Amino acid sequence: MKLPDGWSRAQLLFDDENLVSCVGLVPVMALAERAGLSELVSGKVAITASAVASAGVNPAGKLTSIIAGMAAGADCIDDLDVIRSGGMPRLFGEVYAPATLGQFLREFTHGHGLQLASVARAHLVNLVERTGLLPGIETRAYVDIDSLLRPVYGHAKQGASFGHTKIAGRQVLRRGLSPLATTISTEQGAPVVAGIRLRAGKAGSGKGAASMVREAIATARAAGATGEILVRGDSAYGNSAVVAACVRAKVRFSVVLTKNRAVSAAIGAIGDDAWTPVHYPGAVVDPDTGELISDAEVAEVEFTAFASTKHPVTARLVVRRVRDRAKTEELFPVWRYHPFLTNSTEPVVAADLTHRRHAIIETVFADLIDGPLAHLPSGRFAANSAWAICAAITHNLLRAAGTLTSPSHAVARGTTLRRQVVNVPARLARPQRRPVLHLPAHWPWAQHWTTLWTKVFQIATGPPITA
């Protein structure tokens, strides 16, 4: 590809009000409305007292504007201006300026954040019902929980503090805010965000985990998870509160246990002939060394966890052991042991493979970090909390749109969906007062885009859902 020299003399005019750069927002936001987003916000979110009289007015219009901007690639408040460029105000009503949206977010309190979180859960349930998101959820669903640390650099960030995170396999202290998230996935369906809760950077990874797990289980069941539900988590969530929440909800659990005397004694009681070789379909990361491993051995033993609490739990202690290759001059094999507690009924090798797939939640974190959670834009903690919840709604909305587009888009990354589905240029026209969108000729994903448009606007999705 070569640019002709004549373009150096070209004149630039930003003056066409019939051009839009992200016409894919039309079917995507139509899908959001079909799933009742505006009705849910109007029925659940109410800002009655605000520092600025007009700031809390029309929360449905302002939140949908934020979500539309995020779907188009906005990762800060100023970037939300993308929904006002060119002919966008002709496509959508109630298009707000970034300053108005930032002022609106600053009116949020903790209670308003809980209201918006309720909207996110209900909207996810509606999306599953409308689009076939999470195929196979009626048979088996996986609920994963994990946290991450998003770095911040301004001194005025409420809640920002130093917390532990892992970079290149090493534990480091970093100043930031720590979202705790739960996801729901199936054997055939990519993960969606069941809930997200912003916390101070210094918050322990397991803080608030039990209530998050309970909400995620309820959301999964409301979305159609009538079969088995398996909750998975790493060592931060292998505690009595999380396991008790799973037991009370009558679901399966698979959580890593921190090694203590009791766990070490149980591992030592496993006979040498009880270990079964296991080969992972893809290499996994050793949490001790950060190196990739593809082979290990697993065994299981009955174990009573949390024996010193009021609610001890007896289940299977599945142990994975890996040869310590660093011991090059060993006389006897040296192993590293990684135990997790589970009440699943799968054979020991299958249980280990299923537990290792907990890492699927990292793909959701990668999508969020590569999108709306690249920044936490406000100085106020509650505003950043609302921003994180809007990011979760956007992730689920794009995932649902991808499900309607094609099988490959159903599991595509958010960046791919934005590039191929949302950020499509178009020219607006109204011959004989009929709206027409002129899209690029030879667009590689024209057929997929047309499929999404047809499924959203035809009877396949039905009328909008009321709150």
Side-chain angles (χ1 to χ4, degrees):
M1 180 180 291
K2 183 178 180 180
L3 184 69
D5 296 336
W7 280 108
S8 62
R9 299 185 298 275
Q11 183 181 9
L12 305 180
L13 297 173
F14 289 88
D15 62 351
D16 198 327
E17 296 184 358
N18 293 319
L19 293 178
V20 294
S21 59
C22 45
V23 74
L25 286 179
V26 175
V28 169
M29 295 310 296
L31 176 60
E33 296 306 313
R34 296 281 177 175
L37 180 58
S38 292
E39 289 78 8
L40 287 168
V41 173
S42 298
K44 293 177 179 290
V45 180
I47 302 179
T48 55
S50 58
V52 179
S54 61
V57 175
N58 192 18
K62 293 173 181 176
L63 285 170
T64 52
S65 294
I66 294 171
I67 291 167
M70 288 180 171
D75 62 12
C76 64
I77 293 175
D78 286 344
D79 284 355
L80 296 175
D81 213 16
V82 68
I83 62 174
R84 297 202 306 160
S85 61
M88 294 297 289
R90 296 179 58 188
L91 286 175
F92 298 95
E94 300 180 355
V95 178
Y96 288 93
T100 303
L101 298 176
Q103 188 180 59
F104 168 71
L105 287 174
R106 288 191 292 273
E107 298 296 337
F108 265 70
T109 64
H110 175 67
H112 298 133
L114 295 179
Q115 295 171 355
L116 185 56
S118 176
V119 170
R121 293 192 296 270
H123 192 247
L124 173 59
V125 172
N126 291 345
L127 286 174
V128 174
E129 293 175 353
R130 289 289 183 164
T131 66
L133 190 64
L134 296 176
I137 191 173
E138 66 282 352
T139 303
R140 193 181 196 190
Y142 302 100
V143 172
D144 293 290
I145 182 168
D146 207 346
S147 64
L148 69 158
L149 187 70
R150 295 303 300 134
V152 298
Y153 304 99
H155 294 286
K157 295 280 186 180
Q158 291 182 348
S161 52
F162 285 92
H164 288 275
T165 187
K166 185 175 286 187
I167 299 178
R170 294 186 177 183
Q171 288 284 348
V172 297
L173 275 175
R174 203 172 190 184
R175 187 172 183 271
L177 295 168
S178 176
L180 176 67
T182 53
T183 63
I184 303 173
S185 60
T186 63
E187 293 286 354
Q188 302 86 27
V192 294
V193 181
I196 189 167
R197 181 182 299 170
L198 193 64
R199 307 169 306 166
K202 63 182 179 181
S205 296
K207 182 179 180 181
S211 60
M212 288 284 287
V213 166
R214 287 193 294 268
E215 291 175 354
I217 293 171
T219 302
R221 284 177 170 158
T226 56
E228 180 181 296
I229 298 175
L230 177 65
V231 177
R232 300 180 293 197
D234 59 24
S235 59
Y237 313 100
N239 55 61
S240 59
V242 172
V243 173
C246 296
V247 171
R248 284 193 293 268
K250 298 180 180 180
V251 301
R252 305 287 186 184
F253 57 83
S254 181
V255 293
V256 176
L257 291 183
T258 303
K259 282 184 285 186
N260 53 29
R261 289 184 179 180
V263 173
S264 298
I267 294 174
I270 300 175
D272 290 337
D273 57 348
W275 297 94
T276 303
V278 57
H279 178 73
Y280 297 104
V284 299
V285 177
D286 190 309
D288 289 339
T289 65
E291 297 178 353
L292 294 177
I293 60 172
S294 58
D295 295 287
E297 294 181 349
V298 294
E300 65 174 301
V301 64
E302 187 177 272
F303 182 72
T304 300
F306 323 119
S308 61
T309 67
K310 294 181 179 180
H311 304 286
V313 176
T314 300
R316 305 161 62 198
L317 183 70
V318 178
V319 184
R320 174 173 62 95
R321 72 176 185 179
V322 182
R323 189 78 169 265
D324 192 346
R325 301 297 181 183
K327 309 296 185 182
T328 55
E329 299 180 358
E330 60 183 10
L331 181 60
F332 301 101
V334 178
W335 303 91
R336 292 190 305 274
Y337 297 91
H338 308 285
F340 65 92
L341 187 73
T342 182
N343 61 350
S344 72
T345 57
E346 291 181 310
V348 62
V349 173
D352 181 67
L353 292 172
T354 299
H355 176 79
R356 297 300 151 195
R357 296 191 187 104
H358 161 69
I360 196 172
I361 194 172
E362 299 293 344
T363 64
V364 175
F365 289 164
D367 263 359
L368 293 175
I369 293 172
D370 198 26
L373 279 191
H375 305 283
L376 290 165
S378 179
R380 299 197 178 183
F381 184 86
N384 286 327
S385 179
W387 181 271
I389 297 171
C390 287
I393 296 175
T394 304
H395 175 87
N396 296 341
L397 180 60
L398 288 177
R399 182 63 61 210
T403 300
L404 293 180
T405 302
S406 73
S408 60
H409 286 92
V411 295
R413 290 197 58 182
T415 302
T416 302
L417 294 172
R418 284 190 289 271
R419 183 177 65 252
Q420 299 181 3
V421 176
V422 178
N423 295 332
V424 184
R427 180 171 59 85
L428 311 182
R430 291 185 65 88
Q432 299 177 350
R433 297 185 178 181
R434 180 184 178 184
V436 176
L437 294 175
H438 294 275
L439 290 88
H442 311 298
W443 185 253
W445 306 281
Q447 184 59 49
H448 296 151
W449 205 90
T450 305
T451 300
L452 171 63
W453 181 280
T454 302
K455 289 184 178 180
V456 168
F457 286 104
Q458 286 189 349
I459 197 170
T461 54
I465 294 178
T466 57

